[in-house]
Amino acid sequence: MSTEHGNGTGGLPPELAAIAERFTTARSRGASLPAFPGDIPADLMTAYRVQDAAIARWPDRVVGWKVGYIAPERRDGSGDERLLGPIFARHLWIATGGTEQVPVFAGGFAAIEAEYVLRLDADAPADKLEWTPDEAAALPSTLFAGIEIASSPLATINELGPRVVVCDFGNNNGLLLGPEIPDWTTLDEASLLADTSIDGQAVGSGGASRLPGGLRAAFAFALARSARRGRPLRRGELIATGNATGIHDIGVGQTGTVVFDGHATLRCVAVASAGEDPA
């Protein structure tokens, strides 16, 4: 199997390793960063090397990946229209009908995103490096409602662009997973609608059709990029397919609500991150 780079940290230049160290240290302390800690990587592939180093440093298990869309003017020579960031086990919360407390970085970036989340129900072939949307939909999977907690120690992460987002775990700090949306491959994606509010004020509307190419295109990207990174997707992993109503800033103490029309209502309240136990 040929991949663009492995998932380890061997041979990583010190200046790139230092970026991963600064971000993971800030996250472990629940702290903010005043600026990007170094020179921004020249391209997405280099940024993924930083992300791999950060994943290797982080004392938790990857249980899934968030997908983020890259605006055409911000793409690089890779041609990637999207990016990936890891979701970790300790920051996967299962909705129980109440209001879940979710940590964000005070002084950093904090937002919520309505998400349609796919769970792989079979391993993806490790040697398959290209996927069409229809091929992705044919891989056994289950769809859920969810909320991504998009938060970083770096307040300007989205302004600085996708290479910076990739470096810091894809600007992800967790996923609130709601109930299943049955038989997703038989549904008209235009019928999958969602509305988001912050403290009772409407901030965004949309649904699966808001995602360029829809759920299948986001799924296909996650499968292909993961395989090329040497991290082929496995049964049980989750894919948050992209923001369905927008990226909505949230402050500590504020409550976010997403109504998935006909399927679920999810609520979360933002609390200041207390950092992570390194054990």
Side-chain angles (χ1 to χ4, degrees):
M1 179 180 66
S2 173
T3 56
E4 292 169 0
H5 59 82
N7 58 16
T9 60
L12 191 67
E15 62 271 19
L16 297 180
I19 295 170
E21 188 275 333
R22 288 288 303 281
F23 271 120
T24 54
T25 297
R27 282 177 172 265
S28 69
R29 295 173 178 171
S32 62
L33 289 172
F36 186 81
D39 293 329
I40 295 174
D43 52 44
L44 282 174
M45 294 306 100
T46 305
Y48 278 120
R49 294 181 69 194
V50 174
Q51 187 185 107
D52 283 332
I55 291 170
R57 288 179 56 87
W58 198 247
D60 202 356
R61 177 174 59 91
V62 175
V63 294
W65 302 88
K66 64 82 57 80
V67 177
Y69 186 69
I70 302 175
E73 66 275 12
R74 289 194 154 188
R75 295 173 191 163
D76 68 3
S78 69
D80 281 5
E81 298 178 352
R82 289 171 162 88
L83 57 80
L84 294 178
I87 300 166
F88 292 97
R90 293 181 192 170
H91 281 199
L92 173 64
W93 306 282
I94 307 302
T96 59
T99 301
E100 185 73 34
Q101 291 190 346
V102 295
V104 299
F105 294 97
F109 179 88
I112 61 169
E113 301 177 14
E115 297 275 347
Y116 293 94
V117 183
L118 287 161
R119 183 191 67 204
L120 275 76
D121 295 327
D123 290 349
D127 59 351
K128 184 172 174 57
L129 306 183
E130 302 286 345
W131 289 81
T132 68
D134 286 343
E135 287 172 338
L139 188 68
S141 61
T142 302
L143 185 67
F144 300 84
I147 298 177
E148 181 191 353
I149 313 308
S151 190
S152 167
L154 182 62
T156 56
I157 186 168
N158 279 355
E159 298 168 31
L160 292 175
R163 291 168 289 159
V164 173
V165 172
V166 166
C167 284
D168 187 32
F169 291 160
N171 193 11
N172 178 269
N173 202 42
L175 178 68
L176 176 61
L177 191 67
E180 178 183 346
I181 299 174
D183 303 319
W184 77 273
T185 56
T186 68
L187 298 176
D188 179 355
E189 289 190 9
S191 71
L192 294 174
L193 302 174
D195 296 280
T196 302
S197 61
I198 303 289
D199 285 348
Q201 298 296 310
V203 293
S205 296
S209 295
R210 190 180 188 278
L211 306 175
L215 302 178
R216 291 163 172 81
F219 193 17
F221 171 80
L223 287 161
R225 174 49 63 206
S226 296
R228 293 176 197 163
R229 292 178 71 188
R231 296 180 181 272
L233 298 181
R234 301 300 188 195
R235 179 178 180 177
E237 287 192 273
L238 300 167
I239 302 298
T241 56
N243 73 79
T245 69
I247 301 170
H248 310 296
D249 290 349
I250 193 168
V252 171
Q254 289 189 306
T255 297
T257 303
V258 180
V259 178
F260 293 88
D261 187 31
H263 296 286
T265 297
L266 303 181
R267 295 183 180 85
C268 60
V269 59
V271 299
S273 174
E276 297 285 322
D277 182 351

